[in-house]
Amino acid sequence: MPDQNLIEKQPFLRDNDNSRTLKIRYVITFLCFVGSTLIYAARVNWSIAILYMARQESDNTNSTDSEVNEGSSQIVYTFDWNMKTQQIILGSFYCGYSVGPILGGWLVGRFGGFSMLMTGILFTTFPMLVTQFAAHFGVGFVILTRIIDGFGQGIAYPANLVLIRNWSKADERNTLLAIAFSGCSVGPILTSYISTWLCSSEFMGGWPSTFYLYGTIGVVWCVVWCIVGSKTNMQSNLQAGLLNMAPHLCVLCMTVIGGLLGDYLISHDKLSILGTRRLLNTFCTHKTC
């Protein structure tokens, strides 16, 4: 194991390097920007989606049973979550987020920013993909996904800082940091419109589509991140394990998404069973339809 103090004193890029491979720093910065945008989009999305998830006429009960409202061709799932329950769900995020940066700082110093940023995004992506199922199982499962989400986002922050420090030159470091973290503002701006529009639509039942959208973006981000990582000299034992795990995790996520998409296309007469099978076998997984 190399001396971490030595690594911190010797960034991966030198100010006098002129290799074409130095352009990778711009790719890493852009992916850090997308990652920041994604995690803040996921955070704001919950504040919007929960307004559609909670039954407006709910009384003081906190039943975890869902109600299916059928109007025309739209199926909207709502839950008996009163205001206190909604506040607990939203606030539980910070149970994980308060620990994430502290523990994340140590983990980043131990295993590197590359591996831990991907870990943080995965911890944010997976809860989004299973939110609909967690909500049907009960409030406790929803709270658990929120805690995991918060922990993942807490890890991502120090990982971003270390990555930009190690993959930037001194005379451009502040600029690249500003670009990477500007996603913290871009995410809420985009989500405020996109999530409201999707929650108000009939696509995939309204609010569930927002979680599947951001979850799918997270899966794609992880795949691209692994490709970029394979072209750098940042490989460590932990990172190698994560890279080996990533394709299987992506298959798992796409299997779930493919199954839900297939049921939606068939139940709403958007595509025939044969057409749906061909589509999903091409882009998702052979285990659907």
Side-chain angles (χ1 to χ4, degrees):
M1 177 68 66
D3 188 347
Q4 293 298 321
N5 292 328
L6 180 61
I7 292 177
E8 289 299 317
K9 294 178 181 178
Q10 297 180 354
F12 293 106
L13 300 184
R14 307 295 188 271
D15 292 342
N16 59 353
D17 283 345
N18 55 12
S19 171
R20 290 184 304 170
T21 58
L22 289 184
K23 294 181 180 179
I24 193 68
R25 69 185 184 274
Y26 299 127
V27 177
I28 291 176
T29 300
F30 174 74
L31 289 175
C32 287
F33 161 76
V34 175
S36 298
T37 301
L38 175 64
I39 60 178
Y40 272 81
R43 189 183 307 188
V44 174
N45 177 62
W46 254 106
S47 300
I48 298 173
I50 199 170
L51 300 177
Y52 295 82
M53 299 170 71
R55 190 180 304 161
Q56 297 299 316
E57 68 273 20
S58 174
D59 53 20
N60 292 326
T61 62
N62 285 315
S63 172
T64 57
D65 294 332
S66 64
E67 176 186 272
V68 181
N69 297 327
E70 299 187 15
S72 63
S73 61
Q74 183 180 16
I75 300 179
V76 180
Y77 296 92
T78 57
F79 305 90
D80 280 331
W81 296 345
N82 59 25
M83 185 58 66
K84 181 178 180 180
T85 301
Q86 295 176 48
Q87 292 171 347
I88 292 175
I89 291 174
L90 293 176
S92 60
F93 168 89
Y94 294 97
C95 293
Y97 190 72
S98 61
V99 177
I102 300 174
L103 183 58
W106 178 82
L107 291 172
V108 169
R110 183 77 168 79
F111 300 109
F114 188 94
S115 299
M116 297 319 301
L117 180 57
M118 189 173 74
T119 301
I121 297 296
L122 287 174
F123 273 46
T124 297
T125 297
F126 183 73
M128 286 191 289
L129 292 174
V130 301
T131 293
Q132 183 178 8
F133 304 98
H136 285 289
F137 278 114
V139 174
F141 290 94
V142 176
I143 292 175
L144 178 61
T145 64
R146 294 287 291 152
I147 294 174
I148 296 173
D149 183 11
F151 181 73
Q153 294 194 27
I155 292 178
Y157 190 87
N160 264 332
L161 289 172
V162 171
L163 278 168
I164 299 301
R165 181 210 181 273
N166 288 340
W167 285 88
S168 63
K169 296 192 294 184
D171 59 354
E172 64 180 9
R173 189 162 298 150
N174 289 330
T175 300
L176 296 186
L177 277 172
I179 293 173
F181 283 96
S182 63
C184 300
S185 299
V186 175
I189 293 172
L190 295 177
T191 306
S192 297
Y193 173 78
I194 296 174
S195 294
T196 301
W197 177 70
L198 285 175
C199 287
S200 303
S201 72
E202 298 182 3
F203 181 64
M204 298 185 71
W207 64 262
S209 63
T210 63
F211 294 101
Y212 294 129
L213 170 64
Y214 301 124
T216 302
I217 293 175
V219 172
V220 174
W221 186 95
C222 289
V223 172
V224 176
W225 191 246
C226 289
I227 295 173
V228 172
S230 67
K231 299 181 182 299
T232 67
N233 62 347
M234 299 174 66
Q235 305 296 333
S236 65
N237 291 334
L238 175 62
Q239 179 180 334
L242 288 172
L243 292 178
N244 288 331
M245 175 188 70
H248 302 286
L249 181 62
C250 291
V251 170
L252 170 63
C253 295
M254 293 308 295
T255 299
V256 175
I257 295 172
L260 293 168
L261 179 60
D263 288 341
Y264 172 81
L265 293 174
I266 294 173
S267 62
H268 290 74
D269 294 326
K270 302 290 185 181
L271 201 62
S272 66
I273 295 178
L274 179 59
T276 303
R277 181 180 294 117
R278 289 172 175 171
L279 174 67
L280 298 184
N281 285 347
T282 301
F283 295 102
C284 294
T285 173
H286 65 281
K287 298 180 181 64
T288 54
C289 288

